[in-house]
Amino acid sequence: AAGGAPSGEAAQRLMGARRYKELLVQSYERCRLRAKDKLRKLRRWAMRQHDWALGYVEEALWRADAHDRALEGGREARGPLLAPEPPGHVNLQDLDQRLAYSAVVALVNSRAREFVPYFTELLQAPLVRVRGFVQVGRRLEKVRRLAAAIVQLKGPACGGIDLSSFDWINELRGEEEVFSTLRYLVPEMEDLVREFAELEQSGDLPLWR
């Protein structure tokens, strides 16, 4: 009827469209949850593989989480993130540099966001004169190794270690402080990964972690 409730046939079509929409939403939600569950299982596998494998998985999880936050209207304010686009000194024609930068961003933004200030200093420095970090490619590779080690320490393979005692690195400024610290931090963190992974496997991790 004009100006009133829809006719019987129109009402049925409307109800059918609404049911179809509900089914689509439910199907999407089931697929999304299954995909994230598989990514989490894949992360556990990646913890035992090369760092680049972990980087790809973390990036996928980060993108999935970012999509979820966008759907929720961005209600969560969880602090700054590393910029997804590389700065000008990163050679976009160099695949190794691009992959290293992307891996760092994915790892830190997804699982080490409390260290964004330090990694920002590491990634945004266009010219570094500190020995061992002059070449951009080598520099990015060492930054990637640090990000991977931090994520591994915080993950289940190492028992979820609390790294708040390293918060002081966020206060470092200037290439000498920032990159001299990186020189010692990379092997130190990688040694901790090996030690805690062995302790986790043997069940000997201390309760204070």
Side-chain angles (χ1 to χ4, degrees), residues 25-204:
V25 171
Q26 292 169 6
S27 297
Y28 169 80
E29 182 65 13
R30 285 196 298 270
C31 289
R32 185 185 68 83
L33 292 174
R34 280 200 299 267
K36 290 189 74 171
D37 183 58
K38 289 180 179 178
L39 281 172
R40 291 189 183 98
K41 291 177 181 176
L42 189 59
R43 181 203 283 154
R44 290 195 289 271
W45 169 84
M47 287 282 189
R48 302 188 293 273
Q49 311 305 315
H50 293 292
D51 291 342
W52 61 262
L54 178 62
Y56 283 132
V57 175
E58 290 291 355
E59 181 173 12
L61 276 166
W62 173 56
R63 290 183 183 278
D65 290 339
H67 179 67
D68 290 348
R69 288 194 299 274
L71 290 177
E72 292 170 3
R75 290 192 298 270
E76 252 185 276
R78 297 178 60 188
L81 295 171
L82 294 178
E85 295 300 322
H89 60 273
V90 175
N91 183 1
L92 297 181
Q93 305 304 314
D94 187 316
L95 181 61
D96 290 336
Q97 288 190 28
R98 281 168 40 209
L99 287 176
Y101 183 86
S102 296
V104 173
V105 170
L107 290 165
V108 174
N109 283 352
S110 61
R111 298 295 160 189
R113 198 173 295 184
E114 66 272 34
F115 295 113
V116 162
Y118 180 61
F119 279 94
T120 298
E121 293 292 314
L122 292 171
L123 293 174
Q124 297 299 320
L127 179 65
V128 177
R129 292 173 292 271
V130 178
R131 182 174 54 84
F133 302 100
V134 175
Q135 296 179 6
V136 175
R138 291 183 61 188
R139 187 159 81 233
L140 286 172
E141 175 59 20
K142 290 177 182 178
V143 176
R144 184 197 60 76
R145 285 170 55 192
L146 176 62
I150 288 174
V151 169
Q152 286 176 296
L153 284 169
K154 295 179 65 179
C158 293
I161 304 304
D162 177 9
L163 297 179
S164 58
S165 59
F166 287 92
D167 285 350
W168 56 270
I169 64 177
N170 290 321
E171 305 300 321
L172 298 175
R173 296 295 183 270
E175 66 177 71
E176 187 64 40
E177 280 191 355
V178 169
F179 288 96
S180 294
T181 300
L182 179 63
R183 173 181 292 119
Y184 299 104
L185 207 54
V186 171
E188 179 179 350
M189 288 291 192
E190 290 179 336
D191 284 345
L192 287 174
V193 168
R194 285 189 287 271
E195 292 173 11
F196 279 108
E198 290 174 2
L199 289 172
E200 175 68 14
Q201 289 177 1
S202 63
D204 293 330

